[in-house]
Amino acid sequence: MTTLMRITGLKSIVLAAGLLLAGAGHAAPPAATAPGAATAPTATAPAVTAPQAAPAAATAKPTDPALAQDGAPIMAPTAGIGQPVDGHLGIQPQVTKNGDTAHRFHDHILVPVITVISLFVLFLLFWVMYRYRAAANPVASRTSHNTFIEIVWTLAPVIILVLLAVPSIGLLQAQYKPAPANAITLKAIGNQWYWSYQYPDNGGFEVTANMLKEKADVAAGERFRTDADGPRLLAADNRVVLPVGVPIRLITTANDVIHSWAVPAFWIKLDAVPGRINETSFTIEKPGVYFGQCSELCGARHGYMPIAVEAVTPEQFAAWVKAKGGTPKGAKPAAAPATAAPAAAVANTTGPVENASLPAPTTTQGATANTAAAGTGR
């Protein structure tokens, strides 16, 4: 009997221990799942914020339909404007105020004065040849001085030169008038044998311009000159883009020998001297494409340094500047990153705040991979 009671007591103890272990096993899962439930929202939060940064990066590229693939406005040259014309006599049509003044000064003052003087001198030559020929004057005159004639032929040229100097000096002064405060600076740098251009007021980006070769002179697949680019020996692979109606401050220099930046339609010819800065200013009044060349003997390929300028509206110029990675003059480049920084900082709560304004990690990495350690920038 005692043995039976011991066996029954032993079974009761084993059964109680089993029930106690079973109860502990059922209570453990809620404690283990609690951290998982707390971390689930933090893992999915970056996945929601990651797509928000993508539209900001996509809108950085200009979508202006007037821009070509390389960011330059699409504009074809006009025949007879801004380029030489075969058989044409006279000055090219001018698109600057100084050029228009010089054109009128040439056509309305210089040419008439030169024509009258030339005809007068030619008349005197024929009159002297006829009046004082040997047949009409068998005995030559011994007159050696005539006071009146000497005064006339001395004072008359002086008076003519003084009258011409008044508009000429005014035009010369206007060509070197300092540019106003709202001018856009273009720095033209001469090289053997190409031009490079910098825009200091628009972020300092640089454009290099080389002459476009003919189709027969390039290899298959290389770019060659077409009629849309401009005339032969004047078309460049990259045009200088400038706004219309905005003062331009042109400064020139060179890296090797003396060059000269000349565009006839602007009435501009400014030497580019190594180690020296020359400056002038002008304002383009009409949109279009205008061509020029280096006008200083600079070496074997002097005749292969064309200048191609594309004058566009200020809005198109601003879009072109943005496409080149620059900043339009007067704009605030820091405004866009500053407004995007708070939104990114609030969304990226699991990473460091100093990396919140950088859109690249949130757009190129997955949500689960953008951990706090990966956001340190190391």
Side-chain angles (χ1 to χ4, degrees):
M1 187 68 175
T2 302
T3 303
L4 180 61
M5 292 178 62
R6 289 177 179 177
I7 294 173
T8 304
L10 183 60
K11 290 182 178 180
S12 300
I13 292 172
V14 172
L15 181 61
L19 292 175
L20 182 61
L21 293 175
H26 286 289
T33 56
T39 57
T42 59
T44 58
V48 178
T49 58
Q52 296 178 359
T59 56
K61 297 180 64 178
T63 57
D64 188 351
L67 298 179
Q69 184 176 1
D70 62 349
I74 302 174
M75 184 178 294
T78 304
I81 303 297
Q83 56 184 294
V85 178
D86 188 18
H88 176 74
L89 296 177
I91 300 174
Q92 291 186 16
Q94 299 297 302
V95 293
T96 64
K97 184 177 180 179
N98 289 339
D100 185 62
T101 302
H103 199 178
R104 287 186 282 105
F105 177 54
H106 173 270
D107 290 351
H108 301 158
I109 298 178
L110 290 182
V111 171
V113 170
I114 293 173
T115 302
V116 171
I117 293 176
S118 300
L119 292 177
F120 176 70
V121 173
L122 185 63
F123 167 76
L124 289 179
L125 289 175
F126 280 107
W127 184 74
V128 169
M129 292 168 59
Y130 174 78
R131 175 66 180 79
Y132 299 102
R133 68 188 189 277
N137 298 272
V139 180
S141 174
R142 295 182 178 273
T143 303
S144 59
H145 294 284
N146 188 302
T147 304
F148 175 77
I149 293 179
E150 289 184 359
I151 293 175
V152 170
W153 74 36
T154 301
L155 290 181
V158 172
I159 295 174
I160 293 174
L161 291 177
V162 170
L163 294 177
L164 292 178
V166 174
S168 179
I169 293 176
L171 177 61
L172 184 65
Q173 181 183 8
Q175 291 178 356
Y176 294 97
K177 182 180 179 180
N182 63 334
I184 293 178
T185 303
L186 172 67
K187 184 177 182 181
I189 305 172
N191 307 272
Q192 287 183 321
W193 287 272
Y194 62 93
W195 292 98
S196 56
Y197 302 94
Q198 296 177 358
Y199 290 77
D201 297 336
N202 300 103
F205 64 93
E206 183 170 321
V207 177
T208 300
N210 288 275
M211 187 190 72
L212 282 175
K213 298 181 180 180
E214 298 300 303
K215 184 176 182 180
D217 300 331
V218 301
E222 293 184 3
R223 184 183 176 188
F224 55 88
R225 184 196 67 85
T226 63
D227 292 338
D229 295 310
R232 178 178 174 269
L233 301 180
L234 292 179
D237 56 355
N238 286 312
R239 295 174 178 173
V240 182
V241 180
L242 295 174
V244 173
V246 179
I248 306 298
R249 177 188 292 107
L250 173 66
I251 56 178
T252 60
T253 187
N255 288 329
D256 34 55
V257 299
I258 299 178
H259 302 273
S260 185
W261 200 86
V263 179
F266 299 164
W267 200 257
I268 292 293
K269 182 182 181 296
L270 194 64
D271 285 348
V273 183
R276 179 176 177 178
I277 294 293
N278 289 331
E279 179 178 336
T280 187
S281 62
F282 60 94
T283 302
I284 307 173
E285 298 179 345
K286 298 179 181 179
V289 183
Y290 307 98
F291 298 94
Q293 285 180 310
C294 175
S295 297
E296 190 72 40
L297 293 176
C298 58
R301 295 187 60 82
H302 157 70
Y304 302 95
M305 288 183 62
I307 301 168
V309 180
E310 189 163 344
V312 298
T313 62
E315 293 76 16
Q316 285 181 313
F317 176 74
W320 179 81
V321 168
K322 293 180 181 179
K324 292 296 182 182
T327 304
K329 186 175 182 179
K332 297 180 180 179
T339 55
V346 173
N348 192 14
T349 55
T350 60
V353 178
E354 60 269 19
N355 196 34
S357 61
L358 299 177
T362 59
T363 56
T364 58
Q365 297 180 0
T368 57
N370 187 18
T371 59
T376 59
R378 294 190 295 269

